Amino acid sequence: MTPFDQFRDATAAIQPRFAVVFGSGLADAASPFTSVASVPFADVPGLVPPTVAGHKGRVSVGHWAGVPAVVSFGRVHFYEGHPWDRVTRLVQLVAECGVTTLILTNAAGGIRDDLNPGDLMAIRGHRKLLDAEGWKTLATENRPPYSLLAPSLPTGVYAALTGPCYETPAEIRALRAIGADAVGMSTAMEAETAAALGLRVAGISCITNKAAGLGSGTLSHHEVEATAKLAVARLAEVLTGLIRGQSGETR
Ligand code: HPA
């Protein structure tokens, strides 16, 4: 049996309804999760191993604080050179597993003044700026795919850019002007795909830095990973709250 077959068998037995996807440096927030079966991205048909530091590239099925769940340690990004159907393959996979609630987490730069490194933000909407069309259609944002918000968190709008470079200060001023509160390079397409498949979707950004031009110094992936570590204990609590709240558990 391949690792993927084992994962599928375990999924059939466990029947997870929740999935969590961990972004850069955030996988340590999975402390409430115990894995039963785990498969590297490389062994999942349609997925590829990640190339980004801080992304392990494994999908596991098991229990989150006792609740059946799928957890993805890492994701696939457009800036790694992948087509969108590969970026969203993970979402297809969790939907195939029978998951009905997907929680997407990411590392993001804070644009709104009150969003500081180490803070968490519940995504209530996004600006999808992944091609020229995104900038043209700003005024006609569709219904946001995020139907589940962590009640304890401030909410905000996430600007999704393709990367791979961090933004310039001028780009951040433009993003602020169109109502973005935080900026990153993932999540939007995954959230839309999941909502289109009928999943309930939550998005949580971990603010790892002030966006370009708003803080001191130059941005680096190392800083993003180091600051993400400061937020993992809190993120674990928020995720457990969401999962228990949705599963009707009272423990
Ligand atoms: N910009 C884009 N992506 C990010 C950032 C940022 O400032 N921080 C973490 N991911």
Side-chain angles (χ1 to χ4, degrees), residues 177-248:
I178 61 168
D181 300 309
V183 57
M185 306 175 193
S186 66
T187 304
M189 209 61 113
E190 294 159 54
E192 290 189 5
T193 302
L197 290 169
L199 275 68
R200 193 179 299 123
V201 182
I204 300 176
S205 287
C206 170
I207 307 299
T208 52
N209 55 279
K210 288 279 193 186
L214 302 178
S216 49
T218 325
L219 300 182
S220 71
H221 186 66
H222 177 74
E223 176 195 355
V224 167
E225 278 193 275
T227 311
K229 297 269 174 289
L230 303 177
V232 292
R234 178 92 201 292
L235 179 58
E237 276 174 29
V238 169
L239 292 170
T240 300
L242 270 181
I243 290 172
R244 285 198 173 147
Q246 292 292 308
S247 71

Side-chain angles (χ1 to χ4, degrees), residues 99-189:
V99 161
T100 53
T101 301
L102 173 62
I103 308 174
L104 299 165
T105 73
N106 60 45
I111 298 176
R112 204 171 69 207
D113 292 340
D114 65 324
L115 293 172
N116 291 304
D119 286 350
L120 299 175
M121 179 190 93
I123 304 176
R124 67 177 156 79
H126 61 222
R127 299 291 193 199
K128 210 174 61 177
L129 304 165
L130 303 170
D131 54 20
E133 213 47 45
W135 288 98
K136 279 194 227 160
T137 53
L138 288 175
T140 57
E141 196 191 27
N142 289 324
R143 217 156 69 97
Y146 309 94
S147 48
L148 175 64
L149 300 177
S152 57
L153 299 182
T155 65
V157 173
Y158 174 84
L161 275 64
T162 55
C165 298
Y166 291 117
E167 303 71 35
T168 63
E171 285 171 321
I172 296 302
R173 288 195 295 276
L175 293 176
R176 191 198 283 268
I178 61 168
D181 300 309
V183 57
M185 306 175 193
S186 66
T187 304
M189 209 61 113

